[in-house]
């Protein structure tokens, strides 16, 4: 019932030794689409969990365990049903429960990337990019803003790069 915008098969959520698949879907144009993030078993394709967001979900990534249960977690980039208020959502990787939500200035969140541990809490944080060209460094443990900026143009994706100038 809606477009699948992003898929991530980088982590094992159910502990069976095989990577599982995160996917996110939008709406169908008639407000009856799925509008959620999913976690599928990487072997059987069964749904492990799904997280409705109330609006289209444009991005989803697996991240390091921030809930402390030993299971990787996820972050989804979404919008409200009118696509005027974007937000990032921290999702418990074991249950699919929403752990935190972070509102952005732009209409939707398309860019997500796990980066280094900016707040020194021992867990790598996330960069969030919105459709209006704003970017945010967000604590992956609680969704608190650590830094932000803007003016870069539409951000439909983010990619982590290593130290390009070698200064550490």
């Amino acid at each position: 019932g809606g477009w699948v915008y992003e898929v991530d098969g980088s982590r094992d959520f159910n502990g069976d030794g095989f990577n599982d698949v995160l996917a996110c879907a939008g709406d169908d144009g008639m407000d009856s689409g799925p509008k959620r993030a999913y976690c599928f078993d990487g072997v059987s394709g069964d749904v492990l969990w799904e997280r409705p967001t109330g609006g289209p979900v444009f991005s989803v990534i697996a991240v390091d365990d921030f809930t402390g249960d030993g299971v990787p977690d996820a972050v989804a980039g979404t919008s409200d049903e009118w696509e005027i208020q974007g937000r990032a959502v921290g999702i418990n990787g074991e249950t699919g429960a929403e752990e935190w939500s972070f509102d952005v200035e732009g209409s939707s969140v398309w860019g997500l990337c796990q980066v280094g541990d900016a707040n020194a809490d021992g867990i790598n944080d996330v960069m969030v990019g919105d459709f209006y060209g704003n970017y945010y460094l967000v604590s992956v443990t609680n969704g608190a803003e650590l830094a932000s900026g803007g003016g870069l143009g539409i951000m439909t994706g983010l990619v982590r790069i290593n130290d390009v100038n070698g200064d550490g």
Side-chain angles (χ1 to χ4, degrees):
W3 290 18
V4 174
Y5 287 100
E6 187 167 34
V7 176
D8 179 349
S10 65
R11 309 272 180 117
D12 178 9
F13 285 84
N14 62 5
D16 66 359
F18 296 96
N19 284 358
D20 300 306
V21 179
L22 295 175
C24 60
D27 200 356
D28 62 357
M30 293 185 253
D31 201 32
S32 60
K35 300 179 281 191
R36 62 193 66 215
Y38 296 91
C39 185
F40 297 101
D41 183 285
V43 175
S44 69
D46 292 339
V47 175
L48 299 176
W49 53 257
E50 53 187 275
R51 166 59 24 218
T53 65
V57 184
F58 298 108
S59 53
V60 65
I61 60 169
V63 295
D64 300 338
D65 175 25
F66 63 79
T67 58
D69 59 10
V71 176
D73 293 308
V75 177
T78 186
S79 184
D80 62 6
E81 65 181 300
W82 303 281
E83 294 186 45
I84 56 174
Q85 177 59 62
R87 67 186 183 115
V89 179
I91 302 172
N92 183 306
E94 183 174 16
T95 66
E98 184 177 310
E99 296 290 328
W100 54 261
S101 178
F102 175 78
D103 288 347
V104 300
E105 294 293 320
S107 63
S108 52
V109 172
W110 288 69
L112 295 170
C113 180
Q114 190 161 35
V115 294
D117 182 11
N119 60 0
D121 66 359
I123 302 172
N124 290 329
D125 297 304
V126 293
M127 290 296 298
V128 175
D130 71 29
F131 200 69
Y132 290 175
N134 303 304
Y135 58 92
Y136 310 85
L137 177 59
V138 176
S139 169
V140 77
T141 56
N142 60 18
E145 182 178 317
L146 303 174
S148 64
L152 297 180
I154 296 171
M155 300 186 89
T156 57
L158 296 173
V159 176
R160 179 185 174 158
I161 59 173
N162 292 321
D163 181 5
V164 295
N165 66 359
D167 66 358

